[in-house]
Amino acid sequence: MSYQHQHCNCGHDHEHEHDHEHEEIQGMDYDHPQPDKFHQAFNQFGPAEKDDMVTKKANDIIEAEFKDNFNDKVLKKIHGFIDLTSLTSLDTRESILKMVDKVNDFEGTSPEIPNVAAICVYPIFVSTVKQGLTAANVNIAAVSGGFPASQTFTEVKIAETSLCVSDGADEIDVVMNLGYLLEDDFEAISDELNEIKESCREAKLKVILETGAIATAANIWKASICALYSGADFLKTSTGKGYPGASIEAAFVMCEAIKKYYTLTNRKVGLKVAGGIRSAEEAVKYYSIVKSILGEEWLNKDLFRIGASSLVGDIEHRLGIN
């Protein structure tokens, strides 16, 4: 195909530009289009391990490390990793303030034991926590984005997140839209999470994968990669609402994804496990998974959290401080 000289009103000869455009089009491979960033990421990460292998490897870590990690020193550290949480339909200003008072009262009573990392509440109670909290270095976390189902308009999620931050939230926990995930609509996931992340401003974004709902290692692996490349500061297992909560298998897969992401980007993303973690023994199991896969660098409240309501009491009881 040849091109005639083409002129526009400016009087210039555009033959060269059209030839260049033609060369670019000829160079495109329409049968093998370039993969989007998520499929590129999936290729870089490789496939997830089989479910039975994940279970075996996670249990092997617990068997090898739990005994050494179950001690007072580790329990004291874990106390400082807890997001003390109340997310019930019966929450009131009074009940939330009682929880805040417990955190305030703990301050300075046991200098060798760090206070909890954060207090996590529904959006409407962020201002209540803000008004009552006097303990130092304890953050305020809010569930947002149509928690726990995430089945609402993106605009509502953005507005709710912005209001939480305006009221004083330092951290925002949102659920990934699982409908988009099941449809492999990764761009929709990314667009929504990036907009929510922008509305967080300086607050950290924890993306909840609801691992008990998506269940398989392959789904958790895929969801982790989507969240990692959509602005998540933490990956979080579960809401604790309506589906099974955290599992050591889910934590194993998410830690492996965080580790791979770090090797590719040099960016550290945290892990939060939540949903049904009530005892010190359970907490130490997750500590062991994180320590084994991600290492000592992740064993701090900036990169590892446990969302729980009754875990604080169990750890304090075992440490003899209540």
Side-chain angles (χ1 to χ4, degrees), residues 45 176 223-232 235 254 257-258 261 267 269:
F45 275 64
M176 176 183 288
S224 296
I225 296 168
C226 287
L228 288 166
Y229 283 94
S230 299
L235 301 185
M254 294 162 74
I258 289 168
Y261 181 73
R267 177 174 174 256
V269 171

Side-chain angles (χ1 to χ4, degrees), residues 43 62 68 80 128:
N43 289 337
I62 303 305
D68 288 340
T128 301

Side-chain angles (χ1 to χ4, degrees), residues 181-223:
L181 183 73
L182 295 176
E183 294 171 345
D184 287 345
D185 194 346
F186 310 123
E187 290 299 328
I189 293 172
S190 181
D191 289 346
E192 181 168 270
L193 289 177
N194 276 306
E195 289 192 69
I196 294 171
K197 172 65 175 174
E198 188 174 341
S199 68
C200 285
R201 300 194 286 279
E202 299 302 315
K204 297 292 186 182
L205 177 64
K206 306 191 196 96
V207 177
I208 305 167
L209 309 185
E210 199 66 285
T211 55
I214 59 178
T216 66
N219 282 338
I220 296 168
W221 184 248
K222 180 169 63 174

Side-chain angles (χ1 to χ4, degrees), residues 12-189:
H12 292 158
D13 186 338
H14 292 278
E15 180 181 24
H16 179 73
E17 286 94 334
H18 284 278
D19 283 346
H20 179 64
E21 179 186 5
H22 179 56
E23 288 167 3
E24 287 185 336
I25 293 171
Q26 283 185 321
M28 292 178 66
D29 186 346
Y30 290 101
D31 294 326
H32 299 90
Q34 291 298 307
D36 61 37
K37 69 175 181 179
F38 288 106
H39 287 93
Q40 289 178 351
F42 297 147
N43 289 337
Q44 285 182 303
F45 275 64
E49 297 208 56
K50 300 296 184 183
D51 289 348
D52 57 350
M53 185 57 65
V54 168
T55 297
K56 180 182 184 305
K57 288 186 175 182
N59 285 329
D60 285 349
I61 290 172
I62 303 305
E63 185 176 346
E65 302 197 15
F66 176 83
K67 186 176 180 180
D68 288 340
N69 289 331
F70 194 76
N71 57 63
D72 285 359
K73 181 180 178 181
V74 168
L75 292 182
K76 290 174 183 178
K77 289 175 67 175
I78 289 174
H79 190 278
F81 300 162
I82 295 172
D83 285 1
L84 182 59
T85 302
S86 187
L87 297 170
T88 81
S89 299
L90 300 178
D91 288 342
T92 63
R93 281 178 50 84
E94 182 180 1
S95 67
I96 296 300
L97 284 172
K98 284 183 179 178
M99 181 173 66
V100 173
D101 285 342
K102 288 181 181 179
V103 174
N104 292 337
D105 292 344
F106 184 81
E107 187 81 350
T109 60
S110 302
E112 76 282 7
I113 305 174
N115 212 332
V116 297
I119 295 172
C120 184
V121 294
Y122 277 118
I124 198 170
F125 295 113
V126 171
S127 60
T128 301
V129 178
K130 181 73 172 178
Q131 291 163 12
L133 185 63
T134 59
N137 302 315
V138 177
N139 282 352
I140 301 172
V143 295
S144 182
F147 180 94
S150 192
Q151 299 284 29
T152 189
F153 303 103
T154 299
E155 293 83 355
V156 172
K157 298 178 183 183
I158 293 167
E160 186 175 43
T161 298
S162 183
L163 288 167
C164 288
V165 175
S166 295
D167 275 359
D170 306 294
E171 304 170 5
I172 297 294
D173 294 30
V174 302
V175 181
M176 176 183 288
N177 188 310
L178 300 184
Y180 292 156
L181 183 73
L182 295 176
E183 294 171 345
D184 287 345
D185 194 346
F186 310 123
E187 290 299 328
I189 293 172

